[in-house]
Amino acid sequence: MSDFIERPYENEKNKAIKYVKQLLDKASVDNKQSDKDELAEILRLLDSKRYGLVWEQHAEKVREKLKDVIPVFKENKDKKLSNKVNDDYNFLLEGDNLYILDLLLRTHREKINLIYIDPPYNTRSKKNEDFKYNDTFVTATDSYPHSKWLSFMAPRLRKAKELLTPDGVIAVSIDNHEGYQLKILMDEIFGENNLVGDLHVETSAIAGPRRVQAMKGSVVKTTEFILIYTKGNNLHAMKRPMYDGIPGFDIHYSKFYDGQKQKLINFTQVLKNTPKISETFKQFKLSTSLKNLDCLVRMDNKTIKDWLYSDEISKNLFRYVDKYDGPEQLKVGVNELDGKFIIQNKDGSKVQGYRYFNRIGMSDDYKPQMGERAVRGNLWRGFSADGGNLNKEGGVNFKHGKKPLRLIKQLIKALTPGGKTPITVLDFFAGSGTTGEAVMQLNAEEAGNYKFILGTNDEAIDVAYKRMQNTNAEYPMNLKFFRTDFVRKDAEDLEKSLLDNTKALIELENMTDLNERTDIAIVLNHTQASELNLKGLSKVYMRQRVHRMLVPFEQERYDSAHIEIIDIPDEFFADELGGIE
C-alpha cells in the first residue's frame, strides 16, 4: 500500500498562524488597537475547529434584548387549575422559549429528567410557514435558511442540556429538512458518544396524491426522526421497551419441558397428546406440525391462541435450545439465570433457551391486543394510522400540526422508569400541549408520579391552555399559568423589583402553590424573621440582607428547627444583582 501524507495543508496553516501571531505581537508593541482587533479575529478564523458544523452566525432580537432586561414570570391567577389531587403543580409558561429556558435555569438546573421538543422543521415553503426568525418567516428565497435555524436552535439546546439531571434524556422530533444538521449540532452539544439512537417514526402513508408521486418515481417521505441523547454516558435510556404485535406463531419454539417426566420433549408431541388441540387440527384436516400450528394461529383460532398463551403452556415452551456448559450447580428442573432459562434433564445434561412466555403480552400497536409481540427497535411503525383522529385530539385544532398523543405517550413511557419515581418532563416547544396530556394520561394509567412544564409562545398559548382545560376534565390536574415579563437592568431599585417577582420562581422551583403549602415560607424583613412560627417549616426563602442581619440566637432558632434558609433574590438573580446589598 502506498504511503500518503495526512493533513497536507496543516503545515501551511500553522505557518500562516505563526505569521499572524507575529503581526499581532508587533501591533501590541506599537499599541495599534484596531490592528490588534482585526488580527485577533483573523487568528480566530484560522485556528477554528477542524470538524463540525460551521454556519453564518445570526443575532436574534430576543437574545439582544437580554442585554437590557431581566426576564421574570408573572402569574395569571384566572387560569389556575386546582383539583387538590396533591400538593404538586404543573406549569404552563407563556413567552419566547429562550426567556423561559433562562428562567428555568434559575429554578431547575439539573432537575429535569426528560425533555421532549418538536421544534419548527424549517420547511421554507409558503404553504408551511413554520419558522419565524426575528419576526420574519424564513422562506425558500432566504439566503441563510440553515444558518438562521441553527443560530436559533443552538443556544436553546445548550440551555436545555444544563437543565437535565446527570442521567437525563432529551428527545427531539425533526424531519429531513434540518435533521442532518441537527444531528451534528447535538453531537457537539451533548457529545457524539451520548447519542442513544435515532427513531424513524412512520407518520404518513403513501396514498392519494402521494401515491401518484411515488408511482412517477419520487421517493415519498413517510417517516420523521426523533433524535435521542442522554446527558450522561448511560446509553440504556430506553427504560421500558415498546412492543409491536406479530401475527402467527414462531415455529422456532419447538421444545417443551415436561414437568412430570422432568425432561425436554418435542412440542409436536404436546400437540398430539392434547385432545382439545389435536381435534382442532383434525377439524381443519391438518397434521399436528408447528407450521400448521402457525396457520391456525394466523386464522385467529381462539381455542389455539388461548391454549398457547396460558401460563401452563407458555412458561414451559422454549426456543433456541442449546447445550449449556456453565459452572452453575443446578437441580433437576427449570432454573432462571440472568434472563436465560437453564433446563437440566435427569441424565445431567443441561440446555438453555428463551421462554415463549416472555414473547406474550399486550402490544403497543394502534389497536393493542394480547398475543405474540416483538421488542420495537428504532423503526416505530403505524403512527400514520393516528392521523385520521389527530385533529380531534385534545379537543383543539392547531394549524402548525400536532404529534400523535400515542407517540408522545409511548416515548415518555419508554424513556422513564415509571412507578412512583418522580419524573419532571419539559417541553419548551409545547405547541398544542400534547406532552401535557400524555403526562396526565400516564399518571392515570400507571398511578405514576409525573409532572410537566410546558413552554410556548403567544401564538399557541391559547390552544395549549384550552387543551389543558379539556385534559383536566378527564384527568384532574393542578396547573399554574405564568407569562414572561421583564425588569430593566437599570431599574432604580433593582433588588426590590426582582423581589416583587420572586414568588413565581419559588413556586416553579418547588412545583407548587405557596398559598397551599405550610412547609415553605417567604421572609422579607427582620420582624418577619424574628416572629415567624417555625413549626412544620422545611424551607424559608429569606431576603439576603435580612439573613445577614440575624444575630446568633436567631440563627440558632432556625438551625435547631432544621430549616434550610435560601437567600432571595440572590438565589435566582445573583449575577444581575452584582453585589447589591
Side-chain angles (χ1 to χ4, degrees):
M1 187 172 74
S2 60
D3 294 334
F4 63 93
I5 301 173
E6 286 194 49
R7 302 163 69 196
Y9 302 108
E10 192 65 19
N11 288 336
E12 293 179 18
K13 183 176 180 179
N14 288 337
K15 184 178 178 180
I17 290 173
K18 182 178 180 181
Y19 178 66
V20 173
K21 283 182 176 179
Q22 290 174 349
L23 293 177
L24 188 58
D25 290 341
K26 187 175 186 305
S28 297
V29 172
D30 296 341
N31 200 26
K32 293 183 178 180
Q33 187 60 43
S34 60
D35 289 352
K36 285 169 61 179
D37 292 342
E38 290 199 22
L39 287 168
E41 178 62 13
I42 293 171
L43 186 62
R44 184 189 70 80
L45 293 171
L46 279 172
D47 203 25
S48 60
K49 61 186 177 184
R50 277 69 166 175
Y51 172 79
L53 273 177
V54 178
W55 71 88
E56 196 73 26
Q57 293 282 351
H58 290 259
E60 239 186 309
K61 288 181 180 178
V62 292
R63 294 183 70 187
E64 294 297 305
K65 188 174 180 178
L66 292 175
K67 294 177 180 178
D68 302 313
V69 300
I70 303 169
V72 293
F73 281 135
K74 289 187 180 294
E75 182 177 6
N76 185 334
K77 295 180 180 179
D78 293 336
K79 293 188 174 181
K80 174 183 171 182
L81 303 177
S82 181
N83 288 279
K84 309 299 182 186
V85 289
N86 51 42
D87 291 332
D88 295 329
Y89 270 75
N90 303 291
F91 285 80
L92 179 58
L93 310 176
E94 176 186 359
D96 190 284
N97 54 20
L98 192 72
Y99 302 142
I100 289 172
L101 289 168
D102 184 78
L103 285 165
L104 284 172
L105 281 172
R106 303 167 194 266
T107 63
H108 280 77
R109 189 182 294 271
E110 294 199 335
K111 293 180 182 178
I112 302 294
N113 304 99
L114 172 63
I115 295 174
Y116 168 76
I117 55 173
D118 181 20
Y121 284 12
N122 200 14
T123 54
R124 303 186 297 283
S125 69
K126 291 182 179 179
K127 185 179 179 182
N128 297 304
E129 293 184 327
D130 67 334
F131 174 49
K132 185 182 285 188
Y133 193 83
N134 286 348
D135 303 324
T136 303
F137 280 110
V138 176
T139 64
T141 59
D142 196 288
S143 301
Y144 300 98
H146 295 295
S147 290
K148 287 181 178 178
W149 190 85
L150 289 166
S151 296
F152 171 78
M153 289 298 298
R156 288 161 174 81
L157 289 172
R158 290 191 181 101
K159 290 177 186 291
K161 180 183 179 182
E162 294 183 63
L163 289 170
L164 288 173
T165 60
D167 60 348
V169 178
I170 182 170
V172 185
S173 285
I174 201 68
D175 74 353
N176 57 353
H177 286 90
E178 295 291 355
Y180 308 107
Q181 289 78 247
L182 178 65
K183 163 66 168 61
I184 300 175
L185 178 63
M186 294 189 74
D187 282 350
E188 288 186 6
I189 294 173
F190 292 91
E192 186 175 2
N193 293 332
N194 288 336
L195 172 66
V196 173
D198 52 337
L199 304 185
H200 295 252
V201 182
E202 184 184 43
T203 55
S204 56
I206 298 180
R210 297 165 61 81
R211 184 178 183 277
V212 174
Q213 294 174 22
M215 293 296 290
K216 288 182 178 179
S218 296
V219 178
V220 179
K221 181 172 77 76
T222 59
T223 63
E224 296 180 359
F225 316 141
I226 299 179
L227 296 176
I228 303 174
Y229 285 76
T230 183
K231 186 175 180 180
N233 295 316
N234 176 22
L235 298 185
H236 299 290
M238 304 299 276
K239 304 294 192 302
R240 292 182 283 177
M242 296 290 106
Y243 294 92
D244 290 326
I246 299 174
F249 172 76
D250 186 340
I251 62 175
H252 292 93
Y253 286 92
S254 58
K255 297 292 183 182
F256 189 82
Y257 181 75
D258 187 326
Q260 291 183 338
K261 297 180 179 179
Q262 295 188 327
K263 69 175 185 178
L264 288 178
I265 60 175
N266 290 328
F267 188 45
T268 51
Q269 289 182 250
V270 180
L271 298 177
K272 291 176 183 178
N273 297 335
T274 306
K276 185 177 180 180
I277 302 305
S278 61
E279 287 169 10
T280 305
F281 276 91
K282 290 177 183 177
Q283 177 188 345
F284 291 98
K285 298 180 179 179
L286 297 171
S287 64
T288 51
S289 72
L290 295 183
K291 287 185 178 180
N292 287 335
L293 174 60
D294 180 50
C295 291
L296 286 174
V297 174
R298 288 176 185 273
M299 289 167 60
D300 199 30
N301 187 290
K302 195 169 187 296
T303 300
I304 296 289
K305 281 188 175 181
D306 289 347
W307 177 77
L308 265 178
Y309 302 159
S310 69
D311 287 358
E312 179 185 355
I313 300 298
S314 62
K315 284 186 175 179
N316 294 299
L317 181 56
F318 295 85
R319 71 170 290 182
Y320 299 136
V321 179
D322 300 311
K323 288 183 179 179
Y324 177 74
D325 298 318
E328 291 81 7
Q329 298 297 316
L330 299 176
K331 297 179 180 178
V332 174
V334 179
N335 294 264
E336 185 172 349
L337 184 68
D338 295 332
K340 296 178 181 178
F341 299 89
I342 316 302
I343 303 98
Q344 179 168 299
N345 291 314
K346 279 188 173 181
D347 62 3
S349 62
K350 302 171 188 175
V351 290
Q352 69 178 19
Y354 298 93
R355 194 164 60 174
Y356 187 61
F357 178 79
N358 291 335
R359 193 177 178 86
I360 305 301
M362 289 296 294
S363 68
D364 296 299
D365 301 315
Y366 183 66
K367 293 182 179 179
Q369 57 184 342
M370 176 63 69
E372 283 199 47
R373 60 185 187 173
V375 177
R376 190 184 295 164
N378 76 328
L379 178 57
W380 286 33
R381 291 192 180 97
F383 289 94
S384 58
D386 298 71
N389 192 50
L390 203 54
N391 286 337
K392 299 177 183 178
E393 284 190 352
V396 295
N397 291 317
F398 191 57
K399 65 179 181 179
H400 295 300
K402 306 174 187 172
K403 284 291 179 287
L405 176 62
R406 183 170 68 97
L407 171 63
I408 305 307
K409 193 164 74 170
Q410 288 190 10
L411 187 65
I412 295 172
K413 184 177 180 178
L415 292 171
T416 57
K420 293 300 181 182
T421 304
I423 299 292
T424 303
V425 180
L426 168 65
D427 182 350
F428 55 88
F429 283 100
S432 71
T434 306
T435 300
E437 184 175 354
V439 164
M440 295 311 299
Q441 282 198 15
L442 282 172
N443 276 335
E445 293 171 8
E446 302 184 347
N449 192 6
Y450 292 92
K451 295 187 291 292
F452 66 78
I453 301 172
L454 305 182
T456 192
N457 58 26
D458 55 0
E459 294 179 4
I461 193 67
D462 290 339
V463 177
Y465 180 70
K466 177 62 176 174
R467 186 166 191 170
M468 293 305 95
Q469 286 182 305
N470 296 341
T471 301
N472 180 58
E474 189 171 358
Y475 305 100
M477 69 171 80
N478 296 328
L479 178 80
K480 291 180 81 71
F481 186 118
F482 290 169
R483 63 177 178 82
T484 307
D485 202 356
F486 302 95
V487 170
R488 288 197 59 82
K489 290 183 177 180
D490 58 2
E492 190 170 320
D493 190 347
L494 182 58
E495 186 193 26
K496 184 178 183 304
S497 298
L498 294 177
L499 276 170
D500 291 342
N501 292 282
T502 297
K503 181 182 177 185
L505 294 182
I506 296 173
E507 290 185 322
L508 181 58
E509 182 175 64
N510 294 279
M511 302 291 282
T512 193
D513 185 325
L514 288 181
N515 296 327
E516 300 172 5
R517 291 286 290 270
T518 58
D519 60 327
I520 301 174
I522 298 177
V523 167
L524 298 180
N525 57 57
H526 192 265
T527 301
Q528 292 175 345
S530 300
E531 297 178 355
L532 183 65
N533 183 356
L534 304 186
K535 185 177 181 181
L537 290 176
S538 60
K539 289 182 186 177
V540 171
Y541 288 82
M542 187 178 295
R543 190 174 185 177
Q544 183 182 15
R545 66 177 66 181
V546 173
H547 188 189
R548 292 189 178 185
M549 288 171 60
L550 292 181
V551 296
F553 83 86
E554 290 175 324
Q555 180 67 54
E556 175 62 27
R557 191 168 78 96
Y558 284 86
D559 293 342
S560 298
H562 304 291
I563 291 173
E564 179 185 7
I565 298 179
I566 302 169
D567 290 337
I568 57 169
D570 188 68
E571 164 76 1
F572 306 111
F573 300 106
D575 293 338
E576 289 80 2
L577 289 172
I580 294 176
E581 287 292 335

